[in-house]
Amino acid sequence: MKMTAIVVRIGVVMLLGIAAWNFVIYISDLTSGEEYSRLTHFFIALLTTFFTIALLGIVCRIDKISWKNLGQSSLRANIFSFFVGFLLWTIPAFVGLCICLMLGWVDITFHTNFNTLLLSILILVVTVFLMEALPEELIFRGYIYRYLHVSFPHWLTVILQSLLFTLFAYFIGAMYSVEQIQFIPGFAFILGYFRAVSGNVWTSIGFHVAIMTATQILNPFHGHFDVSGLFTLRFFAFILLPSTIGAIVLAFIYPHHKWSQKAPDL
């Protein structure tokens, strides 16, 4: 496939994705009150996934490619990859949290009971999956990654998709703080790395769900925690340890991965 055709396809999906996300954000602003609403958040998440699946369904039909071309495999393999990604974040993050608490870097005060917290986490997991992890990963680590990988080796594809994801984040208003500017490019790189080594987009989906659920549940508007040292917790326990340990573990799980390899033409 010619580079021009690849650029056009990626550009169209990027533009339509940006338009869809901004429309969803507009609907969210219209329907949201001053207080956080789980129901509204969930509705917006469903809408985001609907637009994404519709968009990718249309472009895959036009391109005459299968959903399996977007970094997917059998149902069993996808489920396995999802939990690999989920656990590659959860286990190192838990260890990092314990270290932060023992060393006094972080102090956490609870304002809720276990049952209420568990229900809130379960709802948030589903919401994050539908609103962020599934649609973003299918577009960037699925469709866009696959088309870039036709022309470029894995290592360059990971870098390019990181730049495109950062550009996408800017146009949907996600680069609203210095912390976000520092976080998003690195986050996109990590997700691309996991997708590249595992060969399955569901690995990055699992990692994405885990980190964003934990990050958001600590937000004060959920009313469950007061956290002192939140920046240290997020950097050390939520980002540094899971990314480092996850990369090492994936190298053992997939020892035959070749960074110089390109994908066969679609």
Side-chain angles (χ1 to χ4, degrees), residues 14-71:
M14 281 277 293
L15 289 174
L16 292 176
I18 290 168
W21 252 264
N22 279 309
F23 176 73
V24 169
I25 291 169
Y26 173 73
I27 296 297
S28 178
D29 291 340
L30 284 179
T31 56
S32 298
E34 293 184 1
E35 295 185 358
Y36 173 76
S37 169
R38 289 194 187 100
L39 183 60
T40 300
H41 196 187
F42 184 75
F43 169 74
I44 296 301
L46 282 175
L47 198 60
T48 306
T49 288
F50 170 78
F51 282 132
T52 302
I53 298 299
L55 169 60
L56 291 178
I58 292 170
V59 296
C60 284
R61 182 178 291 270
I62 293 172
D63 295 348
K64 297 180 180 179
I65 61 173
S66 166
W67 283 86
K68 287 189 176 181
N69 290 121
L70 309 186

Side-chain angles (χ1 to χ4, degrees), residues 46-255:
L46 282 175
L47 198 60
T48 306
T49 288
F50 170 78
F51 282 132
T52 302
I53 298 299
L55 169 60
L56 291 178
I58 292 170
V59 296
C60 284
R61 182 178 291 270
I62 293 172
D63 295 348
K64 297 180 180 179
I65 61 173
S66 166
W67 283 86
K68 287 189 176 181
N69 290 121
L70 309 186
Q72 301 190 79
S73 186
S74 66
L75 177 62
R76 184 177 180 179
N78 291 342
I79 293 173
F80 172 78
S81 294
F82 176 87
F83 282 106
V84 166
F86 191 88
L87 293 175
L88 284 178
W89 184 87
T90 304
I91 295 173
F94 178 75
V95 173
L97 172 62
C98 292
I99 292 173
C100 287
L101 291 173
M102 287 189 297
L103 295 179
W105 296 346
V106 174
D107 183 64
I108 300 177
T109 303
F110 292 86
H111 294 297
T112 188
N113 60 65
F114 178 77
N115 291 334
T116 301
L117 176 61
L118 181 60
L119 178 61
S120 183
I121 290 174
L122 290 175
I123 294 172
L124 189 58
V125 164
V126 177
T127 304
V128 167
F129 174 79
L130 294 173
M131 188 167 186
E132 301 178 40
L134 181 66
E136 290 177 5
E137 297 309 308
L138 284 180
I139 289 177
F140 285 91
R141 264 63 67 177
Y143 185 89
I144 289 177
Y145 192 101
R146 185 62 178 85
Y147 271 102
L148 287 172
H149 194 211
V150 170
S151 297
F152 305 107
H154 277 297
W155 68 269
L156 186 52
T157 300
V158 170
I159 295 172
L160 291 175
Q161 64 83 32
S162 301
L163 295 175
L164 291 174
F165 186 77
T166 303
L167 189 65
F168 168 80
Y170 172 79
F171 281 110
I172 66 169
M175 308 283 277
Y176 52 81
S177 67
V178 174
E179 184 177 341
Q180 285 293 95
I181 293 171
Q182 294 173 334
F183 171 72
I184 287 176
F187 185 47
F189 182 86
I190 293 165
L191 294 170
Y193 182 98
F194 278 36
R195 186 262 186 258
V197 175
S198 68
N200 196 307
V201 71
W202 284 89
T203 308
S204 59
I205 291 174
F207 192 90
H208 196 147
V209 168
I211 186 173
M212 294 314 298
T213 299
T215 299
Q216 293 181 30
I217 199 67
L218 294 177
N219 199 301
F221 61 65
H222 284 285
H224 298 306
F225 305 98
D226 277 337
V227 183
S228 173
L230 184 58
F231 178 82
T232 301
L233 177 64
R234 286 177 174 172
F235 174 74
F236 179 74
F238 288 8
I239 300 173
L240 182 61
L241 279 187
S243 302
T244 305
I245 294 174
I248 294 171
V249 172
L250 277 180
F252 280 98
I253 298 176
Y254 303 99

